Amino acid sequence: LEEITPRSVQDTGNILKQGYLEKKSREHSFFGSEWQKRWCVLNRSTFYYYANEKSKQPKGTFSIEHYSARLAPQLRKDSRKRCCFELTCSGKRSYEFTAPSPAEAEEWVDQIQFLLKGESDLSSLTIPCDEEDEEELYNDVDSSESVTAISRNTALNQGEPNVEVEEDDIYEVLPGKQPNPE
């Protein structure tokens, strides 16, 4: 049996964005909400946060599917309020972060919005899976087989005088019917 190992920072798949952010904790202390420094990693569909960049086990993870990301200066009253952003989803927990700079906060929001837009664009497309295979089913007779079939039919009907063979087509005159003069 394989042992399931927790995903360390290096094993989170295609990392699209990573860096230290301050994450607002859910527990409120006597002095109000606390901000904890976390190493955050974003891949195509999941947001991971770790105690630091060398951690083997994430402190938490969540799928970004159906979330929205936006700058949220209302989260802080101090000089770092322009560095704040949040991830929200109806009916799910909200996640609030403070980046090292306003530009960095914008980059996180842009990257998450880009991923979410890409997911919704992909889900709205319908891609027929077997389009090429279906075409091959209808086009499974190649030209060499058709030539063989024509020459075989010609050989079978050689003794009958009422068979005309033209370049591409075979016309057969049925008994009792005369071909239309042109």
Side-chain angles (χ1 to χ4, degrees), residues 19-37:
Y20 278 106
L21 297 172
E22 288 181 26
K23 183 185 145 307
K24 192 174 187 179
S25 67
R26 282 204 293 192
E27 295 88 38
H28 297 286
S29 73
F30 177 73
F31 300 104
S33 296
E34 286 186 26
W35 292 89
Q36 299 161 329
K37 191 173 181 179

Side-chain angles (χ1 to χ4, degrees), residues 28-73:
H28 297 286
S29 73
F30 177 73
F31 300 104
S33 296
E34 286 186 26
W35 292 89
Q36 299 161 329
K37 191 173 181 179
R38 296 287 179 240
W39 180 256
C40 298
V41 177
L42 176 66
N43 73 11
R44 277 182 57 82
S45 60
T46 309
F47 195 104
Y48 301 86
Y49 51 96
Y50 298 83
N52 61 52
E53 60 189 299
K54 295 185 178 16
S55 296
K56 297 283 184 219
Q57 180 105 22
K59 288 273 188 192
T61 67
F62 62 96
S63 169
I64 63 167
E65 189 180 10
H66 305 301
Y67 269 84
S68 62
R70 65 179 180 179
L71 294 172

Side-chain angles (χ1 to χ4, degrees), residues 129-149:
C129 320
D130 298 312
E131 192 174 290
E132 286 182 25
D133 293 343
E134 286 177 27
E135 194 174 301
E136 287 176 20
L137 290 176
Y138 298 111
N139 197 9
D140 62 350
V141 178
D142 69 6
S143 59
S144 65
E145 288 177 9
S146 346
V147 170
T148 309

Side-chain angles (χ1 to χ4, degrees), residues 16 72 182:
L16 301 172
E182 292 183 17

